[in-house]
mmCIF file with all atom_site columns, all heavy atoms in Angstrom:
data_model
loop_
_atom_site.group_PDB
_atom_site.id
_atom_site.type_symbol
_atom_site.label_atom_id
_atom_site.label_alt_id
_atom_site.label_comp_id
_atom_site.label_asym_id
_atom_site.label_entity_id
_atom_site.label_seq_id
_atom_site.pdbx_PDB_ins_code
_atom_site.Cartn_x
_atom_site.Cartn_y
_atom_site.Cartn_z
_atom_site.occupancy
_atom_site.B_iso_or_equiv
_atom_site.pdbx_formal_charge
_atom_site.auth_seq_id
_atom_site.auth_comp_id
_atom_site.auth_asym_id
_atom_site.auth_atom_id
_atom_site.pdbx_PDB_model_num
ATOM 1  N N   . TRP A 1 621 ? -11.276 -0.565 4.147  1.00 98.00 ? 1727 TRP A N   1
ATOM 2  C CA  . TRP A 1 621 ? -11.254 0.657  4.936  1.00 98.00 ? 1727 TRP A CA  1
ATOM 3  C C   . TRP A 1 621 ? -10.675 1.827  4.144  1.00 98.00 ? 1727 TRP A C   1
ATOM 4  O O   . TRP A 1 621 ? -11.002 2.999  4.405  1.00 98.00 ? 1727 TRP A O   1
ATOM 5  C CB  . TRP A 1 621 ? -10.467 0.426  6.220  1.00 98.00 ? 1727 TRP A CB  1
ATOM 6  C CG  . TRP A 1 621 ? -10.700 1.424  7.315  1.00 98.00 ? 1727 TRP A CG  1
ATOM 7  C CD1 . TRP A 1 621 ? -9.750  2.126  7.989  1.00 98.00 ? 1727 TRP A CD1 1
ATOM 8  C CD2 . TRP A 1 621 ? -11.947 1.820  7.909  1.00 98.00 ? 1727 TRP A CD2 1
ATOM 9  N NE1 . TRP A 1 621 ? -10.320 2.930  8.947  1.00 98.00 ? 1727 TRP A NE1 1
ATOM 10 C CE2 . TRP A 1 621 ? -11.676 2.755  8.918  1.00 98.00 ? 1727 TRP A CE2 1
ATOM 11 C CE3 . TRP A 1 621 ? -13.275 1.459  7.669  1.00 98.00 ? 1727 TRP A CE3 1
ATOM 12 C CZ2 . TRP A 1 621 ? -12.672 3.344  9.697  1.00 98.00 ? 1727 TRP A CZ2 1
ATOM 13 C CZ3 . TRP A 1 621 ? -14.274 2.049  8.437  1.00 98.00 ? 1727 TRP A CZ3 1
ATOM 14 C CH2 . TRP A 1 621 ? -13.970 2.974  9.437  1.00 98.00 ? 1727 TRP A CH2 1
ATOM 15 N N   . ALA A 1 622 ? -9.839  1.529  3.138  1.00 97.00 ? 1728 ALA A N   1
ATOM 16 C CA  . ALA A 1 622 ? -9.281  2.597  2.316  1.00 97.00 ? 1728 ALA A CA  1
ATOM 17 C C   . ALA A 1 622 ? -10.370 3.325  1.535  1.00 97.00 ? 1728 ALA A C   1
ATOM 18 O O   . ALA A 1 622 ? -10.222 4.514  1.226  1.00 97.00 ? 1728 ALA A O   1
ATOM 19 C CB  . ALA A 1 622 ? -8.236  2.024  1.354  1.00 97.00 ? 1728 ALA A CB  1
ATOM 20 N N   . GLU A 1 623 ? -11.463 2.642  1.190  1.00 96.00 ? 1729 GLU A N   1
ATOM 21 C CA  . GLU A 1 623 ? -12.560 3.310  0.482  1.00 96.00 ? 1729 GLU A CA  1
ATOM 22 C C   . GLU A 1 623 ? -13.724 3.664  1.391  1.00 96.00 ? 1729 GLU A C   1
ATOM 23 O O   . GLU A 1 623 ? -14.571 4.484  1.020  1.00 96.00 ? 1729 GLU A O   1
ATOM 24 C CB  . GLU A 1 623 ? -13.055 2.447  -0.683 1.00 96.00 ? 1729 GLU A CB  1
ATOM 25 C CG  . GLU A 1 623 ? -13.693 1.127  -0.304 1.00 96.00 ? 1729 GLU A CG  1
ATOM 26 C CD  . GLU A 1 623 ? -13.967 0.238  -1.510 1.00 96.00 ? 1729 GLU A CD  1
ATOM 27 O OE1 . GLU A 1 623 ? -15.001 0.438  -2.154 1.00 96.00 ? 1729 GLU A OE1 1
ATOM 28 O OE2 . GLU A 1 623 ? -13.132 -0.655 -1.785 1.00 96.00 ? 1729 GLU A OE2 1
ATOM 29 N N   . ALA A 1 624 ? -13.781 3.083  2.577  1.00 97.00 ? 1730 ALA A N   1
ATOM 30 C CA  . ALA A 1 624 ? -14.919 3.312  3.473  1.00 97.00 ? 1730 ALA A CA  1
ATOM 31 C C   . ALA A 1 624 ? -14.679 4.442  4.461  1.00 97.00 ? 1730 ALA A C   1
ATOM 32 O O   . ALA A 1 624 ? -15.621 5.125  4.871  1.00 97.00 ? 1730 ALA A O   1
ATOM 33 C CB  . ALA A 1 624 ? -15.239 2.035  4.250  1.00 97.00 ? 1730 ALA A CB  1
ATOM 34 N N   . TYR A 1 625 ? -13.429 4.645  4.853  1.00 97.00 ? 1731 TYR A N   1
ATOM 35 C CA  . TYR A 1 625 ? -13.150 5.547  5.966  1.00 97.00 ? 1731 TYR A CA  1
ATOM 36 C C   . TYR A 1 625 ? -13.497 6.999  5.657  1.00 97.00 ? 1731 TYR A C   1
ATOM 37 O O   . TYR A 1 625 ? -13.161 7.540  4.611  1.00 97.00 ? 1731 TYR A O   1
ATOM 38 C CB  . TYR A 1 625 ? -11.679 5.479  6.381  1.00 97.00 ? 1731 TYR A CB  1
ATOM 39 C CG  . TYR A 1 625 ? -11.316 6.564  7.366  1.00 97.00 ? 1731 TYR A CG  1
ATOM 40 C CD1 . TYR A 1 625 ? -11.775 6.514  8.685  1.00 97.00 ? 1731 TYR A CD1 1
ATOM 41 C CD2 . TYR A 1 625 ? -10.561 7.670  6.969  1.00 97.00 ? 1731 TYR A CD2 1
ATOM 42 C CE1 . TYR A 1 625 ? -11.475 7.528  9.585  1.00 97.00 ? 1731 TYR A CE1 1
ATOM 43 C CE2 . TYR A 1 625 ? -10.257 8.685  7.868  1.00 97.00 ? 1731 TYR A CE2 1
ATOM 44 C CZ  . TYR A 1 625 ? -10.720 8.609  9.175  1.00 97.00 ? 1731 TYR A CZ  1
ATOM 45 O OH  . TYR A 1 625 ? -10.435 9.620  10.064 1.00 97.00 ? 1731 TYR A OH  1
ATOM 46 N N   . ARG A 1 626 ? -14.192 7.587  6.604  1.00 96.00 ? 1732 ARG A N   1
ATOM 47 C CA  . ARG A 1 626 ? -14.379 9.034  6.684  1.00 96.00 ? 1732 ARG A CA  1
ATOM 48 C C   . ARG A 1 626 ? -14.422 9.392  8.168  1.00 96.00 ? 1732 ARG A C   1
ATOM 49 O O   . ARG A 1 626 ? -14.887 8.587  8.982  1.00 96.00 ? 1732 ARG A O   1
ATOM 50 C CB  . ARG A 1 626 ? -15.686 9.488  6.022  1.00 96.00 ? 1732 ARG A CB  1
ATOM 51 C CG  . ARG A 1 626 ? -15.733 9.293  4.530  1.00 96.00 ? 1732 ARG A CG  1
ATOM 52 C CD  . ARG A 1 626 ? -16.886 10.105 3.900  1.00 96.00 ? 1732 ARG A CD  1
ATOM 53 N NE  . ARG A 1 626 ? -18.154 9.905  4.576  1.00 96.00 ? 1732 ARG A NE  1
ATOM 54 C CZ  . ARG A 1 626 ? -18.972 8.864  4.359  1.00 96.00 ? 1732 ARG A CZ  1
ATOM 55 N NH1 . ARG A 1 626 ? -18.620 7.918  3.488  1.00 96.00 ? 1732 ARG A NH1 1
ATOM 56 N NH2 . ARG A 1 626 ? -20.120 8.762  5.003  1.00 96.00 ? 1732 ARG A NH2 1
ATOM 57 N N   . PRO A 1 627 ? -13.956 10.584 8.536  1.00 96.00 ? 1733 PRO A N   1
ATOM 58 C CA  . PRO A 1 627 ? -14.054 10.975 9.946  1.00 96.00 ? 1733 PRO A CA  1
ATOM 59 C C   . PRO A 1 627 ? -15.494 10.853 10.433 1.00 96.00 ? 1733 PRO A C   1
ATOM 60 O O   . PRO A 1 627 ? -16.436 11.231 9.737  1.00 96.00 ? 1733 PRO A O   1
ATOM 61 C CB  . PRO A 1 627 ? -13.590 12.438 9.933  1.00 96.00 ? 1733 PRO A CB  1
ATOM 62 C CG  . PRO A 1 627 ? -12.675 12.529 8.746  1.00 96.00 ? 1733 PRO A CG  1
ATOM 63 C CD  . PRO A 1 627 ? -13.269 11.602 7.717  1.00 96.00 ? 1733 PRO A CD  1
ATOM 64 N N   . GLY A 1 628 ? -15.636 10.279 11.610 1.00 96.00 ? 1734 GLY A N   1
ATOM 65 C CA  . GLY A 1 628 ? -16.977 10.086 12.169 1.00 96.00 ? 1734 GLY A CA  1
ATOM 66 C C   . GLY A 1 628 ? -17.508 8.686  11.999 1.00 96.00 ? 1734 GLY A C   1
ATOM 67 O O   . GLY A 1 628 ? -18.583 8.363  12.511 1.00 96.00 ? 1734 GLY A O   1
ATOM 68 N N   . LEU A 1 629 ? -16.757 7.822  11.275 1.00 97.00 ? 1735 LEU A N   1
ATOM 69 C CA  . LEU A 1 629 ? -17.185 6.428  11.089 1.00 97.00 ? 1735 LEU A CA  1
ATOM 70 C C   . LEU A 1 629 ? -16.289 5.446  11.836 1.00 97.00 ? 1735 LEU A C   1
ATOM 71 O O   . LEU A 1 629 ? -16.591 4.262  11.900 1.00 97.00 ? 1735 LEU A O   1
ATOM 72 C CB  . LEU A 1 629 ? -17.171 6.073  9.592  1.00 97.00 ? 1735 LEU A CB  1
ATOM 73 C CG  . LEU A 1 629 ? -18.114 6.868  8.691  1.00 97.00 ? 1735 LEU A CG  1
ATOM 74 C CD1 . LEU A 1 629 ? -17.969 6.405  7.248  1.00 97.00 ? 1735 LEU A CD1 1
ATOM 75 C CD2 . LEU A 1 629 ? -19.558 6.719  9.153  1.00 97.00 ? 1735 LEU A CD2 1
ATOM 76 N N   . GLY A 1 630 ? -15.190 5.917  12.383 1.00 97.00 ? 1736 GLY A N   1
ATOM 77 C CA  . GLY A 1 630 ? -14.178 5.093  13.023 1.00 97.00 ? 1736 GLY A CA  1
ATOM 78 C C   . GLY A 1 630 ? -12.888 5.880  12.986 1.00 97.00 ? 1736 GLY A C   1
ATOM 79 O O   . GLY A 1 630 ? -12.891 7.114  12.903 1.00 97.00 ? 1736 GLY A O   1
ATOM 80 N N   . TRP A 1 631 ? -11.764 5.184  13.003 1.00 98.00 ? 1737 TRP A N   1
ATOM 81 C CA  . TRP A 1 631 ? -10.472 5.867  13.001 1.00 98.00 ? 1737 TRP A CA  1
ATOM 82 C C   . TRP A 1 631 ? -9.518  5.206  12.008 1.00 98.00 ? 1737 TRP A C   1
ATOM 83 O O   . TRP A 1 631 ? -9.561  3.985  11.804 1.00 98.00 ? 1737 TRP A O   1
ATOM 84 C CB  . TRP A 1 631 ? -9.858  5.846  14.393 1.00 98.00 ? 1737 TRP A CB  1
ATOM 85 C CG  . TRP A 1 631 ? -10.535 6.762  15.365 1.00 98.00 ? 1737 TRP A CG  1
ATOM 86 C CD1 . TRP A 1 631 ? -10.281 8.082  15.566 1.00 98.00 ? 1737 TRP A CD1 1
ATOM 87 C CD2 . TRP A 1 631 ? -11.583 6.409  16.280 1.00 98.00 ? 1737 TRP A CD2 1
ATOM 88 N NE1 . TRP A 1 631 ? -11.110 8.590  16.547 1.00 98.00 ? 1737 TRP A NE1 1
ATOM 89 C CE2 . TRP A 1 631 ? -11.916 7.581  17.000 1.00 98.00 ? 1737 TRP A CE2 1
ATOM 90 C CE3 . TRP A 1 631 ? -12.284 5.234  16.546 1.00 98.00 ? 1737 TRP A CE3 1
ATOM 91 C CZ2 . TRP A 1 631 ? -12.909 7.606  17.985 1.00 98.00 ? 1737 TRP A CZ2 1
ATOM 92 C CZ3 . TRP A 1 631 ? -13.279 5.256  17.519 1.00 98.00 ? 1737 TRP A CZ3 1
ATOM 93 C CH2 . TRP A 1 631 ? -13.578 6.435  18.227 1.00 98.00 ? 1737 TRP A CH2 1
ATOM 94 N N   . ALA A 1 632 ? -8.647  6.025  11.438 1.00 97.00 ? 1738 ALA A N   1
ATOM 95 C CA  . ALA A 1 632 ? -7.589  5.539  10.552 1.00 97.00 ? 1738 ALA A CA  1
ATOM 96 C C   . ALA A 1 632 ? -6.251  5.680  11.267 1.00 97.00 ? 1738 ALA A C   1
ATOM 97 O O   . ALA A 1 632 ? -5.985  6.697  11.912 1.00 97.00 ? 1738 ALA A O   1
ATOM 98 C CB  . ALA A 1 632 ? -7.577  6.334  9.255  1.00 97.00 ? 1738 ALA A CB  1
#
Side-chain angles (χ1 to χ4, degrees):
W1727 198 232
E1729 65 189 277
Y1731 170 72
R1732 294 195 310 278
L1735 298 179
W1737 287 274

